[in-house]
């Protein structure tokens, strides 16, 4: 986290006046980013209780940045609602979870495939149509495992720079 916040700040700085989203894997990481970013005034972090309130405030904001562990799906940030997004952590399942372990033991591809689906969902939060665009930054080194898998869609693989 200490190394990531300056990188996050550089990304935000390179998108002045534009709205964005930071996908985290938990509320602690989201709060840490908010507490340590020099752009804290633009960053909006929610709790499970005030999620809808904060998301609505973000949608109405001029240049807000939503920082959330729970917006990989179900959020429509079309057009200027998000022109950049940061995927701080690839949404790998919890290997300590008994259900995750059981599914992995039954299907060796399940874990990576499920993660690829959730990653594609995250990317799709800010790119909603053929003509929509957003810059997506992945800060997690484990992305290489996902990138090299057979489960990541071709259009995402082709767009990686």
């Amino acid at each position: 986290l200490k190394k990531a916040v300056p990188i996050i700040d550089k990304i935000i700085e390179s998108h002045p006046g534009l709205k964005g989203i930071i996908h985290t894997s938990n509320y602690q990481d989201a709060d840490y980013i908010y507490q340590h970013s020099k752009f804290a005034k633009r960053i909006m972090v929610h709790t499970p209780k005030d999620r809808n309130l904060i998301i609505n405030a973000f949608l109405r904001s001029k240049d807000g940045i939503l920082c959330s562990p729970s917006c990989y799906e179900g959020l429509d940030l079309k057009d200027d609602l998000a022109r950049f997004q940061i995927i701080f952590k690839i949404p790998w399942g919890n290997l300590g979870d008994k259900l995750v372990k059981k599914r992995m033991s039954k299907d060796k591809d399940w874990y990576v495939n499920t993660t690829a689906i959730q990653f594609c969902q995250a990317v799709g939060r800010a790119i909603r149509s053929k003509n929509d665009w957003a810059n997506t930054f992945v800060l997690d080194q484990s992305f290489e495992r996902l990138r090299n898998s057979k489960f990541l869609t071709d259009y995402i693989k082709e767009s990686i720079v």
Side-chain angles (χ1 to χ4, degrees), residues 18-69:
L18 298 176
K19 295 170 76 163
I21 183 168
I22 302 169
H23 297 281
T24 65
S25 59
N26 58 58
Y27 290 103
Q28 293 82 7
D29 290 351
D31 192 53
Y32 185 94
I33 292 166
Y34 171 75
Q35 294 292 332
H36 293 88
S37 172
K38 65 182 182 181
F39 294 99
K41 289 182 181 180
R42 290 179 59 194
I43 295 174
M44 300 176 179
V45 178
H46 64 82
T47 66
K49 291 182 180 180
D50 65 3
R51 182 180 187 272
N52 290 338
L53 181 73
I54 299 300
I55 288 173
N56 286 329
F58 163 75
L59 293 172
R60 291 188 309 271
S61 72
K62 185 184 92 167
D63 64 350
I65 301 160
L66 181 62
C67 187
S68 173

Side-chain angles (χ1 to χ4, degrees), residues 34-116:
Y34 171 75
Q35 294 292 332
H36 293 88
S37 172
K38 65 182 182 181
F39 294 99
K41 289 182 181 180
R42 290 179 59 194
I43 295 174
M44 300 176 179
V45 178
H46 64 82
T47 66
K49 291 182 180 180
D50 65 3
R51 182 180 187 272
N52 290 338
L53 181 73
I54 299 300
I55 288 173
N56 286 329
F58 163 75
L59 293 172
R60 291 188 309 271
S61 72
K62 185 184 92 167
D63 64 350
I65 301 160
L66 181 62
C67 187
S68 173
S70 67
C71 290
Y72 285 96
E73 300 177 333
L75 187 60
D76 183 3
L77 299 178
K78 63 183 175 187
D79 303 325
D80 290 337
L81 291 177
R83 290 299 184 197
F84 70 96
Q85 58 186 334
I86 300 167
I87 299 175
F88 174 71
K89 187 96 173 84
I90 298 297
W92 298 105
N94 179 355
L95 293 174
D97 185 311
K98 290 178 184 178
L99 181 60
V100 170
K101 282 189 174 184
K102 188 169 189 161
R103 286 186 174 173
M104 286 175 66
S105 70
K106 289 184 176 189
D107 179 358
K108 65 180 181 75
D109 290 335
W110 175 84
Y111 187 67
V112 178
N113 185 41
T114 301
T115 303

